[in-house]
Amino acid sequence: MMPDHFSTLRRVIFYSMLLVPLIPFMLAVGIGYYCFKTSLENSTTASMKRIVQDHRQMIEAFLKERKHDLNFIVNSYTYEDLSQSEKLDTVFDHLQRESHAFVDLGVFNQAGVHVAYHGPFDLRARVYKDANWFKVVMKHGYYISDIFLGYRQIPHFVIAVTQEKMGKKWVIRATIDTVTFNNIVKNIRIGKTGEAYILNANGLFQTEPRSGGKLMDKCPDNINYPLSNTHIETIINKDVKGEKCLCTTTWLQNKKWLLVVRQEKADAFKALTSAAYLIILIMGVGGSAIFVVAFYLTNRIVGRMEKMDIEKDRLNQQLIGMSRLVELGEMSAGFAHEINNPLQIVKGEHSLVEMLLMEMKEKGQIKESESLAEIEDSMDQIKLQIFRCGEITRAILKFGRQDEPKPQDLDLQNFIPEIVDMVAQKAIVHGISIEQDIAENTYPVHGDPTQLQQVILNLFNNAMDAILETHGTSGGKMMIKAGPGENNTVEILVKDNGCGISPENLNKIFTPFFTTKPVGKGAGLGLSVCYGIIGSMLGTMDVSSEVGVGTTFTILLPASV
C-alpha cells in the first residue's frame, strides 16, 4: 500500500472509532441532562408554589384572626361602652394580651367622627367621613386598607369592621403593627436569595423586600399578576439589576394584595448548575477518553496493517529468493550430473595411466627413482580427489532428487557420518569443530533418507550460522549425538555453542516464515519444514536454548525394530 492510502485509511478508522461511540455518548448525556433539568425545574417550581400557598394561608390566617378579634369586640360591647376612653383602654389591654399586632384602637360614629381612641397619636375628634377606608367599611362592613400615611404621616394599614344597632352604624378600627406584619411576610427562607413581599394592585410595596425597597414605593420589577384569586403564577424574569429571578405570585384578600415570593435563578437552580458542571466534566473526560482510545487503537490497527504490508513485501521477496534457490538446486543437480560424466572419464584415464606405469615398471622401461615415487603419489592423490568429487556429486544428486518419499530403515551409524562429511569442509573453513557421538546400540529408524538428510543438514547450517555470529572463525563447537531413547525410540541431538535464541522467540521458532535472520539470509521455512518432516515420521522435535550459551535441538523418532 502507498503511504497516502495509509493516511486516508488512518483518518477513516480514527473518525469512525471517534464518532461511533461519541455520538451515542453525547446523546445519552444530553438526554440525561435534559430529563434532569426538566425534572429539577418542575420540582423547584412545584416547591416554590407550595411555599407560596403555605405562606399565603399563614398571612391570611393572621389577618382573619385580627378581623375576628375586632368582630368579637363589636359583638361583646356597645357603642356607648367603647365610646368611653377608660373602657376602650381596658379592651385594648385585652387585645394586647392576645396579640401584640395591634398598635392602636379607635371608635367612629356614623358621621365618621373619631369619638374614642387608644394609642400613641392624638386622633380624637378627627373626621374621616371622606376617607376611602371609611366609605368602604361603611358599605361592606369590613375593610383592610393598603399601606397609607394618613394623619400620622407614617406608613401603616388598618383593619376596620362595622356594627349596626337600632338603625345606627358605628365603626371600630385597629392599626396593625407594620413591623410585626412585615416580619411575618418576610419570614421565609429559600436558599440565599429567596424573599417574600406584598404589593397592592398598583404595584406599591406593602411590606419591605429584603433585597431593597421602601414601603409605598413602586416595585421596579416586571411582576406577572395572576388572573384568578387562587391561581399561582410562576415565571422567570429579570430584575432591575439584570439578574434572572424565579418569581411566584398569588393574590391575597380577593385580589387586593399580591404576595410575591422571589429567588434568583442561579440560587434556585443551583443543583442544576452543579449538575451542568459535572456533566461538562463527564463529557470532557469521556470525550477525551474516547479520543485517546480511538487514537491509540487507530495507530495500533494501522501500524499492524503497515507491518503486515511490510511482512507481505518481505515474504514476497523471500518467495522470490526461494524460487531462485529451487532453480539453483535444480541447476546444481544438473551441474553435478554433468560434472559426474567428465569425472568418470578422468577416472578411466587415471586407471589407464596407472596400468601403463605398472606395465612399464614390469618391463623395466622405467627405473625406480625419486621422480617416479612423486608421480605415483600424485596418481594416488588424483584417485583420492576423483573419489571425493564423485561422493560430492552423488550427495548433491541425492539431495536434489524430488522423487516421492521412499521410507526405509536407516542405520544412523552410517547415515549420520555421511551427512557430517557433506558439511565438514565448510566447518573447517569457519573454524568449527564437529563432534560425533553415535552409540553402537542405536536402533535404526524408518523414514525417507532424503527428508531426514534435509532435516539434519538444516540443523547443521543453522548451528554454524549461530556459531559464526558469536565466535567468528574460531572457538565454534558443534556436536551431533544419537542413541537409544525411552519407550523404544531413538534420540538425535544437534548442539552448538552459538548465540542462542531469546525466550520470546523460542515459542515461534517452528512457525512458518518466522526467522531471526536479516532479510535475504533466511526465509523462515527451514525449521517449520523440518518440524513437519519429523512429524510425518511419527516423531517429535523440541528445542532448548540460552542466549549467549547455545542451542540444542532434540529429535525423537520411533525405533525400527
Side-chain angles (χ1 to χ4, degrees):
M1 291 186 183
M2 299 298 291
D4 290 343
H5 178 77
F6 279 117
S7 298
T8 303
L9 185 62
R10 187 187 300 273
R11 286 194 296 271
V12 170
I13 295 175
F14 175 72
Y15 287 128
S16 299
M17 297 188 70
L18 181 65
L19 295 177
V20 168
L22 189 61
I23 291 175
F25 172 72
M26 298 293 285
L27 286 174
V29 172
I31 292 172
Y33 175 73
Y34 173 77
C35 294
F36 176 77
K37 176 176 177 292
T38 303
S39 175
L40 182 63
E41 287 178 347
N42 292 337
S43 175
T44 302
T45 302
S47 176
M48 187 75 84
K49 288 183 176 180
R50 188 167 54 252
I51 291 171
V52 168
Q53 187 174 15
D54 294 343
H55 211 52
R56 178 181 65 186
Q57 292 175 355
M58 183 182 67
I59 295 170
E60 289 182 339
F62 172 82
L63 295 175
K64 285 181 181 178
E65 286 176 3
R66 305 293 77 77
K67 175 188 174 184
H68 291 159
D69 289 340
L70 295 182
N71 281 329
F72 177 79
I73 292 172
V74 297
N75 290 319
S76 300
Y77 299 94
T78 65
Y79 171 75
E80 288 75 15
D81 292 338
L82 295 177
S83 297
Q84 302 175 14
S85 297
E86 296 81 5
K87 192 65 175 180
L88 190 61
D89 294 342
T90 302
V91 171
F92 184 80
D93 290 340
H94 286 304
L95 282 178
Q96 282 290 82
R97 283 195 291 268
E98 293 295 328
S99 172
H100 294 285
F102 295 101
V103 174
D104 60 16
L105 189 65
V107 179
F108 301 81
N109 62 18
Q110 190 170 351
V113 179
H114 208 162
V115 295
Y117 175 74
H118 177 89
F121 301 98
D122 184 13
L123 300 178
R124 287 191 62 182
R126 294 190 180 273
V127 180
Y128 290 88
K129 66 177 182 178
D130 295 326
N132 182 65
W133 70 266
F134 186 77
K135 293 178 180 179
V136 174
V137 74
M138 290 297 288
K139 182 178 181 180
H140 297 289
Y142 169 69
Y143 179 71
I144 297 179
S145 73
D146 287 341
I147 299 292
F148 67 104
L149 296 178
Y151 287 117
R152 64 192 77 185
Q153 293 299 304
I154 59 173
H156 66 287
F157 79 96
V158 298
I159 298 177
V161 297
T162 61
Q163 179 66 287
E164 183 177 1
K165 283 189 178 180
M166 299 177 64
K168 291 184 178 180
K169 286 185 177 181
W170 58 278
V171 177
I172 186 169
R173 186 192 75 173
T175 301
I176 303 300
D177 184 5
T178 307
V179 176
T180 301
F181 184 69
N182 198 53
N183 289 337
I184 290 174
V185 176
K186 291 170 63 176
N187 187 23
I188 187 171
R189 289 290 181 267
I190 308 173
K192 292 182 178 180
T193 60
E195 62 177 352
Y197 53 86
I198 294 177
L199 301 175
N200 67 7
N202 297 320
L204 301 181
F205 286 121
Q206 303 301 293
T207 61
E208 293 180 351
R210 197 159 6 119
S211 60
K214 296 181 180 180
L215 292 175
M216 301 180 66
D217 284 352
K218 181 74 173 179
C219 178
D221 299 329
N222 183 23
I223 301 298
N224 195 42
Y225 288 81
L227 298 176
S228 66
N229 293 350
T230 58
H231 184 68
I232 298 176
E233 188 79 24
T234 301
I235 62 169
I236 295 176
N237 58 8
K238 287 186 178 181
D239 61 12
V240 292
K241 299 177 183 178
E243 295 287 342
K244 286 187 175 182
C245 298
L246 179 64
C247 188
T248 305
T249 58
T250 187
W251 287 108
L252 300 174
Q253 292 296 310
N254 195 22
K255 296 184 70 172
K256 182 177 179 62
W257 283 352
L258 184 72
L259 174 63
V260 179
V261 178
R262 174 179 168 277
Q263 186 181 12
E264 291 183 4
K265 183 181 178 182
D267 186 25
F269 299 113
K270 182 170 60 177
L272 183 61
T273 304
S274 301
Y277 288 137
L278 181 61
I279 287 173
I280 291 172
L281 178 62
I282 292 173
M283 290 176 66
V285 173
S288 299
I290 292 173
F291 179 86
V292 170
V293 171
F295 184 79
Y296 171 76
L297 291 179
T298 299
N299 286 338
R300 189 77 180 269
I301 292 171
V302 176
R304 187 68 62 86
M305 293 177 69
E306 288 177 337
K307 186 176 179 181
M308 290 175 63
D309 202 49
I310 294 172
E311 288 289 324
K312 177 184 173 183
D313 291 339
R314 186 171 66 86
L315 291 176
N316 286 336
Q317 294 298 323
Q318 290 175 349
L319 289 174
I320 292 171
M322 288 182 61
S323 66
R324 290 175 179 173
L325 290 175
V326 171
E327 293 174 0
L328 184 60
E330 293 175 353
M331 292 173 62
S332 64
F335 292 157
H337 182 72
E338 293 297 328
I339 292 172
N340 196 43
N341 292 331
L343 282 176
Q344 296 300 322
I345 295 173
V346 173
K347 184 178 181 182
E349 294 297 327
H350 172 272
S351 301
L352 178 61
V353 172
E354 191 177 36
M355 184 181 66
L356 291 174
L357 284 175
M358 289 180 62
E359 289 180 357
M360 292 175 71
K361 284 174 63 177
E362 290 175 357
K363 293 179 179 180
Q365 295 176 351
I366 299 176
K367 296 180 179 180
E368 294 290 340
S369 64
E370 186 177 344
S371 297
L372 181 60
E374 290 179 359
I375 291 173
E376 289 176 344
D377 289 340
S378 296
M379 293 296 292
D380 292 339
Q381 187 64 31
I382 290 171
K383 183 178 181 180
L384 177 62
Q385 297 305 322
I386 290 172
F387 176 76
R388 288 190 62 189
C389 287
E391 290 296 316
I392 292 172
T393 55
R394 278 195 298 275
I396 293 173
L397 288 171
K398 185 177 181 181
F399 183 75
R401 195 173 294 125
Q402 299 297 323
D403 297 335
E404 289 293 324
K406 297 178 180 178
Q408 60 188 52
D409 289 342
L410 302 175
D411 183 3
L412 297 182
Q413 294 187 43
N414 297 321
F415 185 76
I416 290 177
E418 290 180 0
I419 302 173
V420 172
D421 289 340
M422 295 178 67
V423 298
Q425 190 61 36
K426 179 180 177 181
I428 293 171
V429 170
H430 292 100
I432 300 172
S433 63
I434 302 177
E435 180 182 349
Q436 300 183 62
D437 183 8
I438 314 299
E440 293 183 358
N441 60 343
T442 301
Y443 302 120
V445 296
H446 190 75
D448 182 74
T450 303
Q451 290 184 342
L452 186 58
Q453 182 190 65
Q454 180 180 351
V455 172
I456 297 175
L457 277 177
N458 188 277
L459 296 179
F460 281 166
N461 289 325
N462 286 344
M464 285 191 281
D465 289 340
I467 291 170
L468 290 173
E469 184 177 339
T470 303
H471 300 284
T473 57
S474 63
K477 294 182 180 180
M478 187 170 65
M479 182 182 74
I480 182 166
K481 182 178 180 181
E486 297 179 354
N487 300 324
N488 198 30
T489 60
V490 174
E491 185 180 62
I492 303 172
L493 274 70
V494 177
K495 186 176 181 181
D496 65 70
N497 64 342
C499 59
I501 305 169
S502 63
E504 60 268 20
N505 291 332
L506 201 59
N507 293 330
K508 309 174 188 176
I509 202 72
F510 297 119
T511 303
F513 300 110
F514 175 80
T515 179
T516 58
K517 297 178 181 179
V519 177
K521 293 291 185 179
L525 289 172
L527 288 176
S528 64
V529 171
C530 293
Y531 190 85
I533 291 173
I534 297 301
S536 67
M537 296 174 67
L538 304 180
T540 61
M541 186 174 181
D542 294 312
V543 60
S544 62
S545 183
E546 185 176 350
V547 176
V549 176
T551 303
T552 301
F553 283 90
T554 303
I555 298 173
L556 284 177
L557 292 172
S560 179
V561 292

